[in-house]
Amino acid sequence: MALYNFEETKMKKRQLIFIHGGEAFSKYDDFISYLKTQEIELHRAPSNRWHKHLQEDLGEEWEVIKPAMPNAQNAKYEEWKIWFERYFTFLNEEVVLIGHSQGGMFLTKYLIENKTPFTVKALFLVGSVHNSSATFNDSLEDGGDFGYDDTEIPLLAKKIEHIYIAHSKDDFVVPFEQGEKLAKALPEAEFMVFEDKNHFLIDEFPELIDKIRNLE
C-alpha cells in the first residue's frame, strides 16, 4: 500500500474543499419538532450526486477534500468553524472552496469574519442562503447561528479572486430569491442561473466542473 506523501501532495496538486449542506435551527424546540415530523427513508437508494465524484471529474492534478461537518442535522456555526480550521494545516495556496446550501452560508460567514492562512482562488456558493432571515419554504429550519452581517458581504470580493453564485429557479429548499439577493449584494460575482437543477440534488454538474477547470 502506497503511503500518503503530504509534502508531495502540497507541491503537485491543486486543492478543492467541498462543504456539504445541513440543517440549522435557532430554537431547540424547533429541532425536536423536526425530528418528530421529518419523513423517514427506510431504504435510501444509493446516491451518485455530483459532489461525490468531484475527484474523478477533475482528475489527478486535483486533491478534493470533503470534510464531514459535525452534527449536520442541527448544525452549530462554532462547531463547523473549529472543524473547518482543523484542515488548514493540509492546505497550500489558491484553494478552491465550494459550499452547497448550508455549506455556502457557512463559508460566507467564515470568510467575512476571518482571515485564512492561505489564499482562496475561487469560491462557489451553490444553492446558498443570503442571510439568517431566510425562509426555507415553511420549514422550521431558519439557518440557526450561521447568519452574518449583510453589509459585510462586499469583503468577499476583496479577499477572493473568483466568486460564483449558482442557483436554480426550481429550488424547492432555498428559494431562488435568496440567490438573487446574494448576487445583488455581491455584484462582482458571476451569477449562474439554472432552470431545472432544483437544490442541486443532481448527479451531474458539468457547468461547475468547467468553471473550475478554466480557472486562471
Side-chain angles (χ1 to χ4, degrees):
M1 179 182 293
L3 296 178
Y4 180 84
N5 189 322
F6 169 58
E7 291 301 327
E8 181 179 349
T9 298
K10 288 193 70 173
M11 288 188 291
K12 292 185 177 181
K13 293 183 181 289
R14 304 182 71 181
Q15 293 177 311
L16 180 152
I17 296 184
F18 172 80
I19 304 296
H20 60 70
E23 290 86 29
F25 302 82
S26 294
K27 299 178 181 178
Y28 184 69
D29 287 347
D30 287 342
F31 176 54
I32 294 298
S33 296
Y34 163 85
L35 293 177
K36 291 179 177 179
T37 58
Q38 180 71 3
E39 183 178 350
I40 296 295
E41 295 183 49
L42 191 58
H43 301 291
R44 178 176 293 185
S47 169
N48 190 39
R49 290 174 184 164
W50 59 272
H51 53 83
K52 292 197 172 184
H53 47 83
L54 275 171
Q55 182 68 73
E56 179 182 353
D57 289 343
L58 290 173
E60 293 183 358
E61 67 182 275
W62 285 85
E63 180 184 25
V64 176
I65 301 168
K66 296 188 288 185
M69 303 305 281
N71 306 315
Q73 276 191 303
N74 189 18
K76 302 299 181 186
Y77 174 76
E78 185 63 23
E79 296 173 2
W80 282 35
K81 178 176 182 288
I82 291 169
W83 196 240
F84 180 57
E85 290 177 344
R86 291 285 307 278
Y87 284 79
F88 285 7
T89 188
F90 302 105
L91 302 178
N92 52 27
E93 295 299 311
E94 299 194 335
V95 176
V96 173
L97 299 176
I98 301 177
H100 176 225
S101 194
Q102 189 79 35
M105 195 175 186
F106 166 74
L107 288 176
T108 300
K109 180 180 177 72
Y110 186 89
L111 294 170
I112 286 174
E113 297 180 354
N114 301 276
K115 293 182 179 180
T116 58
F118 51 86
T119 55
V120 178
K121 179 69 174 180
L123 171 66
F124 291 85
L125 302 173
V126 180
S128 188
V129 183
H130 176 50
N131 57 30
S132 60
S133 63
T135 57
F136 295 87
N137 292 335
D138 299 324
S139 170
L140 292 171
E141 183 191 1
D142 60 3
D145 60 352
F146 286 72
Y148 48 81
D149 184 350
D150 298 346
T151 64
E152 298 296 321
I153 288 182
L155 289 175
L156 294 180
K158 297 179 180 179
K159 296 180 177 182
I160 303 167
E161 186 176 355
H162 304 286
I163 303 175
Y164 301 88
I165 299 167
H167 221 108
S168 186
K169 291 183 179 180
D170 64 342
D171 193 321
F172 56 87
V173 178
V174 179
F176 181 69
E177 291 75 13
Q178 286 291 312
E180 290 182 308
K181 289 179 180 179
L182 190 55
K184 184 177 181 180
L186 197 57
E188 297 87 352
E190 179 178 335
F191 190 22
M192 302 170 64
V193 177
F194 301 95
E195 299 287 337
D196 57 357
K197 292 191 184 297
N198 58 75
H199 193 49
F200 298 92
L201 306 177
I202 51 179
D203 291 345
E204 303 292 337
F205 197 175
E207 297 88 348
L208 180 138
I209 298 299
D210 288 342
K211 292 293 184 184
I212 295 171
R213 286 176 175 164
N214 292 321
L215 287 171
E216 297 180 354

